[in-house]
Amino acid sequence: MLTRLLSCSLLALLLLQPAHATPQEIRPFKVCWSIYAGWMLWGYMAEEGIIDKWAKKYGIEIQVQQVPDYVASIEQYTAGQYDACAMTNMDALTIPAAAGVDSTALIVGDFSAGADGILVRGGSKDLKDLKGKTILLVENSVSHYLLSRALEWAHLQPSDVTIENVSDKDLAQVWRSGKGDAVVTWNPILADLRQDGDSVQVFSSHHVPGEILDLLVINSQTLTQHPELGRALTGAWFEGMRLMGLPNAAGAAARASMARAADTTPEDFDEQLRTIRSFYAPRSAAAFASGEKMPDLMQRVANFADAQQLLGDGPGLQRLGISFSDNRVLGNPAQIMLRFNPAYMQLAADNQL
């Protein structure tokens, strides 16, 4: 009897002790990102130790890696090579979700408000002049979505233009070689090409604010099994955002470091930041993510995806669903593949991380 009591007491003491995983037990989580004003913070936080600080707080290891090709980064995430990836709302739907990878929009970092645009050679600013043009872009990306919205504004049909698919890493070189009549792209490529002075911007995401969201998307199963990863990434992000937004020397130094990593000047990087609506405070991010307009926004994106057959044959939302806060669901509630969950951003807002 005494032996049993001692064994129970020992077990109770062990359960009360904080768990400390040995180095062999720690599984490194992997996060990927690509060059874009709204995502440069990931590389900066990795270099400055902010990611490590938050990872150690939760007893985990997080590896943050840059992938040169944006679409390739999402494909690698979809294939399971990364646990989380920086991507837009449309790409989250049309690549991992469409492929059957249940994903969660952990962080809403910003929305594009001029960071994506259409440049046309020559001096015409009339959208109707896009008719008959050959347009360079990353096919089925947010650039393609932006073009579709521009064509709607101009009362043109997709068949009125010819699209030439070019990867984002080759786009500037192909455009400067003289190919194409127009190009659709995002910063920093857009800002770089505008400096050439031989084209005119005729449309941008400024005309459709809130429709192109920049997210950190995480595998939902991984998040469920390892909420500490969601906590660490969210905590690190908003610490970094506060630093980046400081109107003092520390903030300027952080932005200058990101500018160097983006191969541009601090002045140009600050200009790029002005073309996105960043959520520097977690409360603002959580409020936007849980807003009433989110289902309507994603319905518009899904309509474009269906038109391009990016979700398969027929209405894609008959096969998969998108969930939002307050138990709202768009599409098939039995097959949720994309989740807008503001819970971790709300924890940051409430200082609970």
Side-chain angles (χ1 to χ4, degrees):
M1 182 61 139
L2 179 60
T3 302
R4 178 176 293 181
L5 288 173
L6 287 172
S7 298
C8 292
S9 299
L10 179 60
L11 176 61
L13 285 171
L14 288 172
L15 290 174
L16 287 172
Q17 296 300 312
H20 295 290
T22 66
Q24 292 78 16
E25 293 172 334
I26 295 176
R27 156 164 132 55
F29 296 101
K30 297 175 67 177
V31 179
C32 63
W33 64 282
S34 55
I35 295 285
Y36 176 70
W39 296 327
M40 298 306 299
L41 184 60
W42 288 111
Y44 175 81
M45 292 191 300
E47 290 181 358
E48 295 298 315
I50 297 174
I51 295 291
D52 284 345
K53 166 190 166 183
W54 282 87
K56 288 177 181 177
K57 178 177 180 178
Y58 289 101
I60 58 177
E61 179 185 345
I62 302 174
Q63 299 173 357
V64 175
Q65 299 175 358
Q66 179 192 340
V67 177
D69 187 308
Y70 168 63
V71 175
S73 72
I74 307 173
E75 291 173 343
Q76 289 170 28
Y77 161 79
T78 302
Q81 296 177 34
Y82 291 94
D83 299 289
C85 179
M87 67 184 78
T88 69
N89 54 321
M90 195 198 85
D91 295 320
L93 175 65
T94 61
I95 303 180
V101 178
D102 188 334
S103 298
T104 297
L106 180 72
I107 299 168
V108 179
D110 63 76
F111 63 76
S112 179
D116 300 75
I118 303 175
L119 301 179
V120 178
R121 296 191 196 276
S124 175
K125 292 186 178 182
D126 193 336
L127 275 177
K128 292 186 181 297
D129 290 340
L130 288 175
K131 187 172 184 177
K133 303 290 189 186
T134 296
I135 303 176
L136 310 182
L137 52 75
V138 180
E139 196 170 14
N140 299 330
S141 69
V142 290
S143 293
H144 200 164
Y145 175 79
L146 186 68
L147 174 63
S148 75
R149 295 291 280 124
L151 295 176
E152 288 178 26
W153 276 53
H155 302 289
L156 295 175
Q157 299 299 316
S159 58
D160 289 327
V161 300
T162 299
I163 290 174
E164 183 172 337
N165 182 34
V166 184
S167 75
D168 57 301
K169 65 184 179 66
D170 297 326
L171 196 59
Q173 181 181 352
V174 173
W175 174 250
R176 285 174 171 145
S177 73
K179 293 183 179 180
D181 304 303
V183 61
V184 191
T185 188
W186 54 81
N187 282 334
I189 305 169
L190 178 65
D192 184 36
L193 294 181
R194 286 179 63 181
Q195 292 177 4
D196 292 350
D198 59 353
S199 58
V200 175
Q201 182 167 297
V202 296
F203 194 80
S204 80
S205 52
H206 175 76
H207 295 89
V208 288
E211 294 186 23
I212 300 175
L213 303 176
D214 299 316
L215 315 169
L216 182 73
V217 172
I218 187 170
N219 182 285
S220 298
Q221 182 178 358
T222 300
L223 181 62
T224 299
Q225 294 175 346
H226 299 281
E228 68 274 17
L229 175 61
R231 285 174 168 267
L233 290 172
T234 307
W237 175 260
F238 285 108
E239 178 178 333
M241 286 296 285
R242 283 191 294 273
L243 175 59
M244 186 174 76
L246 288 175
N248 57 20
R255 295 190 299 274
S257 177
M258 293 178 226
R260 286 191 297 273
D263 196 24
T264 191
T265 65
E267 294 77 16
D268 180 64
F269 187 71
D270 283 348
E271 180 61 32
Q272 289 183 40
L273 288 177
R274 284 190 280 272
T275 65
I276 59 178
R277 169 64 167 83
S278 297
F279 296 110
Y280 290 96
R283 194 167 303 280
S284 299
F288 184 89
S290 58
E292 294 180 1
K293 294 182 179 180
M294 283 296 293
D296 293 338
L297 183 156
M298 289 306 300
Q299 180 66 67
R300 182 183 289 278
V301 170
N303 290 343
F304 168 79
D306 279 336
Q308 300 302 124
Q309 295 189 324
L310 300 178
L311 303 178
D313 296 332
L317 292 187
Q318 288 183 4
R319 292 182 298 282
L320 63 88
I322 308 171
S323 67
F324 307 89
S325 59
D326 299 325
N327 297 316
R328 295 172 294 171
V329 173
L330 190 63
N332 187 345
Q335 195 69 12
I336 302 296
M337 285 294 152
L338 181 58
R339 305 167 190 270
F340 285 86
N341 180 4
Y344 288 83
M345 292 179 285
Q346 191 60 52
L347 286 173
D350 295 338
N351 295 315
Q352 296 296 315
L353 294 177

